[in-house]
Amino acid sequence: MTAPLTPPPPPHEPSPHGAWPPSMAPSSGGYAGVAAAPHDVSYGQDGPGMKTELREAAVITVAVALVGVALGLLWVWLAPKVPLVGDLVDGNWVVYFKDTEGEQAIGVDGTFTLLALACGAVSAVAVFAWRRRGGVPAVVALALGGFLGSLLAWRLGLWLGPESDVIAHAQSAGKGVTFSAPLKLGAKGALLAWSLAALAVHLGLTSLFGPRDPDPYAVQGAVPKDGYGAPMG
């Protein structure tokens, strides 16, 4: 009679000391022969940090809003004049348009809108050239700064433009004498032109020239593999 043979141990059985075979030992990114998952790859810090971005956003908001002074001055200088005429009727002064079919009033709104669009494009290019990247704080700062700059330009134009009291202006000019009407922004939607132009231009520059997100499979030569270590696909 012969003693029964001892069955061989199953493959890949851990050694008595609890050590894994070299081919199956876990590594820092998983098991040998298996590529690390994309989310395990470290990309480093994305951007300068939230505090720095918020400080930059505050600077952008103030700087863009202050450009509204230039917009207001240009509006006063370039906007067409709306001619008015004063007359004395039954002892009371009345004011009416000299040219009832004129389009000067529409030109005032159009001039403000075109100048605001130009300011929005220039401010977006300047911000992108300074930061060379996008980011929510910068976008919000551009929109807010453009709106505040438009408000500043509007109020500055009213202040520097012709006298707002048309009756007093007619009395000082005299009966039948033509004088300019005060600047008036009839289309209040023009106050948003700066912000919309800045957002559109900045978005276009970021999509064309901004930094790209790294390819997770291109980092450190990572290639997706199956459970046996063979490349997938």
Side-chain angles (χ1 to χ4, degrees), residues 23-158:
S23 61
M24 296 295 292
S27 63
S28 58
Y31 296 100
V34 181
H39 60 270
D40 293 334
V41 181
S42 176
Y43 300 112
Q45 186 180 10
D46 184 14
M50 183 56 65
K51 290 184 178 180
T52 302
E53 289 195 1
L54 290 178
R55 285 195 296 267
E56 292 178 351
V59 173
I60 292 172
T61 302
V62 175
V64 172
L66 290 178
V67 181
V69 175
L71 174 58
L73 295 176
L74 289 174
W75 186 39
V76 174
W77 179 35
L78 298 176
K81 307 302 181 183
V82 180
L84 300 178
V85 174
D87 195 4
L88 191 60
V89 178
D90 297 333
N92 297 320
W93 280 92
V94 294
V95 177
Y96 54 90
F97 290 103
K98 182 178 181 180
D99 185 5
T100 57
E101 297 181 356
E103 298 181 353
Q104 293 88 347
I106 300 176
V108 172
D109 292 350
T111 301
F112 186 93
T113 303
L114 292 176
L115 291 174
L117 291 174
C119 289
V122 171
S123 60
V125 172
V127 169
F128 182 80
W130 174 43
R131 302 182 73 251
R132 302 295 299 179
R133 61 182 182 275
V136 175
V139 172
V140 174
L142 267 176
L144 181 59
F147 181 69
L148 294 177
S150 297
L151 289 177
L152 178 60
W154 175 41
R155 302 307 300 178
L156 184 63
L158 297 181

Side-chain angles (χ1 to χ4, degrees), residues 1-6:
M1 296 180 66
T2 58
L5 297 177
T6 303

